[in-house]
Structures are given as structure tokens and as C-alpha cells.
């Protein structure tokens, strides 16, 4: 078997995992709070909520925006399908945008071509560690009063002009 990735757990890591497991606080508690606080410090942002998956985070983002049946969202035509799948689950109108064949990320021109007067949210996916033209896309979205969601699951720790992925748009999603 060829592993996609192999965890490199040290004795200290195992000690913390065992303590967390024995605490019976698997999805909440001391370790989760420490993790959220550490992420807040690293990303220099206040509002971090850890979810069970990136898909759950996308779902939570859509729900927090009050998106309802028939609302239009723009998502990349290439990338992990959670933004489109959750949109379908919520009966949103999904518009797919093109992506750059070299980076597999959307560009401002791709977004502009896909957005209509009815667009409520734009989801961009920073694919394979590559960052989208998030500054240009963000300015465009703000001008049009459209919410920008960054799916930064594949670009955790990547930076664009000294800002971390997931911290430039209105909502950032990691996995």
C-alpha cells in the first residue's frame, strides 16, 4: 500500500491524544479550546470555530449566511465538490466558474464571467497550495456586495501578500 500521507506522531503527541480521549471530550473541551486559540493567534483573527470537517464548515457557512432555496452561488468547476454538494443539498442554484489550467484556481476574470445580479456568494478554492487572485476577487465581491468564502483546506499555511489563506475573504474554511 502507498499512503497518501503518513502521520509522524511523537511520544508527546500520543500522550495528548490519550489524555483527550480519556477526558471523554472528543468534540469539545480543553484541547479544542486551546486549538482554536492557537489558530486565532497564528492567523491573527478572532472568530475561529472548529468543525468536524471542511464539508461541515461549508454547510455552516451557507447556513450562517441565511442562504435559502434558489439563492445563487458561484463555485469553481474544478476542486473538492463540497461547496457544490452542500449547495445542492440546500437547493441553491450553483453556477460553476472556469479555473486556470496551470494553477487549478479561479481567476478574477473567471468569477466575473460567472457572477450574475442574483449571486449571493462566491466560493474560491485555493487548490494544491496555490492561492487564487484573492485580492482582486475580494475587491470585486465587495464592490458587488457578494460574500466571499475561501475554501483553504488545500492551502493551510499558504500566504498571499503576507496574509494567510482563509483570512482575506468574508469566511475562511479549512479541513
Amino acid at each position: 500500500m502507498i499512503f497518501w500521507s503518513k502521520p509522524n506522531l511523537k511520544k508527546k503527541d500520543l500522550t495528548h491524544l490519550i489524555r483527550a480521549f480519556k477526558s471523554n471530550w472528543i468534540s469539545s473541551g480543553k484541547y479544542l479550546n486551546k486549538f482554536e486559540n492557537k489558530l486565532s493567534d497564528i492567523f491573527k483573527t478572532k472568530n475561529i470555530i472548529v468543525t468536524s470537517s471542511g464539508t461541515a464548515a461549508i454547510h455552516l457557512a451557507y447556513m450562517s449566511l441565511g442562504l435559502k432555496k434558489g439563492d445563487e452561488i458561484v463555485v469553481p468547476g474544478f476542486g473538492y465538490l463540497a461547496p457544490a454538494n452542500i449547495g445542492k443539498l440546500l437547493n441553491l442554484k450553483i453556477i460553476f466558474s472556469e479555473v486556470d489550467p496551470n494553477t487549478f484556481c479561479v481567476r478574477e476574470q473567471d468569477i466575473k464571467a460567472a457572477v450574475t445580479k442574483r449571486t449571493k456568494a462566491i466560493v474560491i478554492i485555493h487548490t494544491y497550495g496555490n492561492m487564487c487572485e484573492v485580492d482582486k476577487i475580494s475587491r470585486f465581491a465587495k464592490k458587488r456586495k457578494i460574500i466571499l468564502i475561501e475554501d483553504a483546506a488545500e492551502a493551510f499555511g499558504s500566504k498571499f501578500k503576507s496574509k494567510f489563506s482563509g483570512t482575506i475573504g468574508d469566511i475562511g474554511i479549512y479541513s
Side-chain angles (χ1 to χ4, degrees), residues 5-153:
S5 66
K6 187 177 177 186
N8 182 13
L9 295 175
K10 296 176 176 62
K11 188 174 182 175
K12 182 180 175 184
D13 299 324
L14 289 173
T15 300
H16 288 296
L17 286 171
I18 291 166
R19 281 184 192 157
F21 185 73
K22 284 182 176 180
S23 76
N24 291 322
W25 288 99
I26 302 302
S27 61
S28 186
K30 173 175 102 174
Y31 287 103
L32 183 66
N33 293 337
K34 285 174 98 171
F35 183 56
E36 288 176 342
N37 290 334
K38 183 72 170 173
L39 288 176
S40 289
D41 291 343
I42 291 168
F43 293 134
K44 296 175 181 34
T45 186
K46 288 187 248 179
N47 302 311
I48 292 200
I49 300 169
V50 174
T51 62
S52 60
S53 68
T55 302
I58 289 282
H59 194 170
L60 184 60
Y62 290 174
M63 298 297 286
S64 72
L65 295 173
L67 296 176
K68 55 192 176 308
K69 183 178 180 175
D71 282 347
E72 184 177 287
I73 60 170
V74 173
V75 302
F78 179 89
Y80 194 69
L81 289 175
N85 287 343
I86 295 299
K88 179 97 171 123
L89 176 75
L90 297 173
N91 293 307
L92 303 177
K93 182 176 181 188
I94 302 158
I95 307 294
F96 290 101
S97 68
E98 294 293 330
V99 299
D100 182 327
N102 296 310
T103 65
F104 302 102
C105 291
V106 294
R107 299 167 291 198
E108 179 188 31
Q109 69 193 42
D110 304 321
I111 294 297
K112 282 182 174 180
V115 164
T116 73
K117 287 186 252 176
R118 294 176 304 284
T119 303
K120 303 278 186 188
I122 298 168
V123 179
I124 59 174
I125 301 175
H126 301 303
T127 307
Y128 305 138
N130 297 315
M131 298 268 303
C132 299
E133 298 175 341
V134 69
D135 58 341
K136 294 176 184 176
I137 297 168
S138 179
R139 276 194 302 274
F140 172 74
K142 278 185 186 7
K143 192 183 306 180
R144 298 287 297 265
K145 296 185 174 137
I146 300 171
I147 297 294
L148 178 60
I149 301 171
E150 289 180 80
D151 182 335

